[in-house]
Amino acid sequence: MKTSREHNFLLELTPVLLGMLLLAGSCSDEPAKDSSDTGLTTETDTDTDTDIDTDTDVDADTDADADADADADADADADTDISDWEDLVDRTYALDLATANFVEPAGLGDIIAEYLTVDLLLGVAEITGGDLNMVGAISVDGSDPPQQDTDADEICFETAEFGARPYFQIGPEDTSLSVDSYTFTIYSMLISGDFSEDHSYFDEGELSGQIDVRDLLWLGKEYGFDNPDLLCFGVLIKFGIACGECDSDGQDYCFNLRATDILAPEVPGLTLEHSCSW
């Protein structure tokens, strides 16, 4: 049976998890054959060599021309393709986590939908040579349309490859987060999605990572849950959040976060402020 103390703990845990989700890159050369002992006449050898050399030269020239043309076409296509996507720069997208499908933990989606009052923002800062640099931020509580909370730290994601555009993927990587002087880590964080053709949104978004409950004991202690076993197997399990093996050390104090089917519309006119450098 869930107590009000346990329920209040989970409600306070929800924005922390959101912040953690935000934070948290033979060729072998054969010698020429000696034909002096083949028994062929000099005239036959000359004709044969001439024919072979002529054919080989023509074929080689044709192949070289074809390769050069193909390379030139590929380069032109790549340049055109990437230039089409440079319009993404300075655009900002708000992840709609309230309507996302929380695969893990399954019970978290309903809580987020009911109580979440801030948005996770992702901005495109740079597109350089086929690489993508993105920035993350949290919105001002209750702002509509979302506005960046400039009092909170921005997130400078590692450079990601953008060769499979419109698909992008940030991570996976371990990322540290500080909340009220407490430091947490979201392990193997990954965010991905597909930008729309007109760049006005991205969809098919996925967000995942792993949380170590031992990093949350500071919050649990405020409600009397002062050890990871009690927090995992006495509280979180009642809300459908099951602790399992941690990738970091194999202890059974971690739970996975995974949300799919995320839609992220553009926030018109919003460009995230940041001091990131890549």
Side-chain angles (χ1 to χ4, degrees), residues 20-43:
M20 296 178 79
L21 283 172
L22 173 61
L23 294 164
S26 75
C27 295
S28 61
D29 295 328
E30 297 182 0
K33 296 180 180 179
D34 186 356
S35 60
S36 59
D37 295 329
T38 60
L40 298 176
T41 66
T42 302
E43 181 178 355

Side-chain angles (χ1 to χ4, degrees), residues 234-252:
V235 179
L236 295 179
I237 192 66
K238 295 181 180 180
F239 295 89
I241 301 177
C243 291
E245 183 176 308
C246 297
D247 293 339
S248 58
D249 61 8
Q251 297 296 307
D252 292 330

Side-chain angles (χ1 to χ4, degrees), residues 48-268:
T48 302
D49 291 342
T50 301
D51 291 342
I52 293 175
D53 289 343
T54 302
D55 291 343
T56 301
D57 290 344
V58 171
D59 291 343
D61 290 343
T62 302
D63 291 343
D65 291 342
D67 289 343
D69 290 343
D71 290 343
D73 290 343
D75 290 342
D77 290 344
D79 290 341
T80 301
D81 190 30
I82 195 63
S83 66
D84 290 343
W85 292 96
E86 290 175 351
D87 182 54
L88 286 170
V89 174
D90 291 336
R91 292 179 184 253
T92 299
Y93 301 88
L95 279 68
D96 187 0
L97 296 179
T99 61
N101 175 30
F102 273 84
V103 180
E104 298 179 276
L108 190 60
D110 291 339
I111 296 173
I112 285 181
E114 185 173 356
Y115 294 101
L116 189 63
T117 58
V118 298
D119 290 288
L120 172 59
L121 305 174
L122 287 181
V124 180
E126 295 177 352
I127 296 179
T128 306
D131 289 334
L132 178 68
N133 290 321
M134 298 189 75
V135 180
I138 292 291
S139 72
V140 174
D141 192 352
S143 59
D144 185 20
Q147 297 299 312
Q148 180 182 2
D149 183 353
T150 54
D151 291 331
D153 292 338
E154 78 276 10
I155 313 306
C156 304
F157 292 104
E158 293 292 328
T159 297
E161 294 184 359
F162 199 33
R165 46 192 177 270
Y167 175 80
F168 73 93
Q169 176 178 298
I170 306 169
E173 62 184 76
D174 295 345
T175 308
S176 295
L177 164 69
S178 293
V179 177
D180 294 335
S181 77
Y182 295 96
T183 299
F184 314 91
T185 299
I186 179 167
Y187 299 93
S188 301
M189 185 185 69
L190 184 150
I191 301 175
S192 63
D194 288 303
F195 287 111
S196 65
E197 186 175 353
D198 64 359
H199 309 162
S200 64
Y201 65 90
F202 72 78
D203 60 2
E204 301 297 328
E206 292 200 19
L207 185 154
S208 63
Q210 189 175 70
I211 303 300
D212 191 327
V213 166
R214 291 167 291 188
D215 290 340
L216 302 175
L217 286 180
W218 66 272
L219 180 59
K221 288 178 180 178
E222 295 183 12
Y223 292 88
F225 313 127
D226 56 359
N227 69 76
D229 289 297
L230 178 58
L231 200 52
C232 270
F233 309 111
V235 179
L236 295 179
I237 192 66
K238 295 181 180 180
F239 295 89
I241 301 177
C243 291
E245 183 176 308
C246 297
D247 293 339
S248 58
D249 61 8
Q251 297 296 307
D252 292 330
Y253 295 129
C254 290
F255 61 90
N256 294 324
L257 288 169
R258 181 168 176 249
T260 64
D261 303 326
I262 299 173
L263 175 65
E266 181 187 6
V267 182

